[in-house]
Amino acid sequence: MFFKLRKAILNGNHAALTPLEDMSAGRGQAGEGPPPNCQKVFIERDYSEGTMVKFQTQFPTELESRLDRPLFEYTINQLNNYFAEAERASCSTYCEGCLACLTGYLIYICTETHYEKCLRKVAKFISEQNDRVYKPRGLLLTNPVMRGLRLIEISVLDRPAS
């Protein structure tokens, strides 16, 4: 019995659950990401103002029955604000760079960069949005850092991939 169960787990033959049931069973949590067999909606980067990290605010039609447009726009605008803050040059970021050069970048063993602090804010915001807005609607917002800052991925947990 044990070997059959082990073989089924290794082959991925667990009970046929929907991705939403997978999430509630503890699989596909924040560290692992969404289940691979669900529909995904992608929000592309907006390069109209240059190469800074900014995402398009155009509402995807796949989410019309699931999510209100103002909630979606708030999420994207807030993420865009966090990334704008991360890339903003200030006196403190210049001093941080000079101090890094003077210490041979050993200062970064002890402290975080301004950019890393902003990325931590992004991760916290996405986690809060998932808990309050997206997961109750059967959606999961993936941190853009996990996708190389190329796009935002929204997984529709109860729809199979097409």
Side-chain angles (χ1 to χ4, degrees):
M1 173 71 178
F2 172 76
F3 293 108
K4 287 182 182 178
L5 179 62
R6 182 172 173 247
K7 183 178 178 182
I9 291 172
L10 290 176
N11 290 333
N13 296 334
H14 58 81
L17 300 175
T18 67
L20 188 57
E21 292 167 334
D22 250 1
M23 289 292 290
S24 64
R27 291 177 271 224
Q29 291 298 321
E32 300 172 20
N37 55 346
C38 62
Q39 180 185 7
K40 302 201 185 311
V41 178
F42 299 105
I43 312 302
E44 301 283 327
R45 284 264 300 264
D46 181 4
Y47 292 103
S48 64
E49 297 176 16
T51 58
M52 62 184 268
V53 179
K54 184 178 178 184
F55 296 97
Q56 297 175 1
T57 56
Q58 182 180 2
F59 188 71
T61 57
E62 297 91 351
L63 300 179
E64 282 183 357
S65 63
R66 301 235 174 208
L67 188 64
D68 295 333
R69 187 178 300 261
L71 287 173
F72 171 80
E73 289 175 354
Y74 169 76
T75 301
I76 300 300
N77 288 331
Q78 192 63 34
L79 287 172
N80 286 340
N81 290 338
Y82 282 131
F83 284 114
E85 176 189 343
E87 295 185 9
R88 191 172 300 123
S90 66
C91 183
S92 65
T93 57
Y94 285 120
C95 289
E96 179 184 294
C98 291
L99 187 60
C101 287
L102 290 173
T103 62
Y105 295 91
L106 293 175
I107 191 72
Y108 292 137
I109 294 173
C110 305
T111 63
E112 286 183 316
T113 64
H114 172 71
Y115 201 85
E116 290 170 334
K117 290 175 187 175
C118 291
L119 289 182
R120 199 166 14 125
K121 288 181 188 177
V122 166
K124 182 180 177 188
F125 175 73
I126 287 176
S127 176
E128 289 171 356
Q129 287 295 103
N130 274 331
D131 291 340
R132 293 180 186 161
V133 177
Y134 289 88
K135 284 184 184 176
R137 290 171 172 80
L139 303 170
L140 182 69
L141 185 66
T142 301
N143 191 335
V145 173
M146 301 301 290
R147 301 293 177 255
L149 297 177
R150 295 174 292 123
L151 50 87
I152 297 173
E153 178 183 300
I154 301 174
S155 301
V156 183
L157 299 174
D158 57 357
R159 286 190 194 157
S162 52

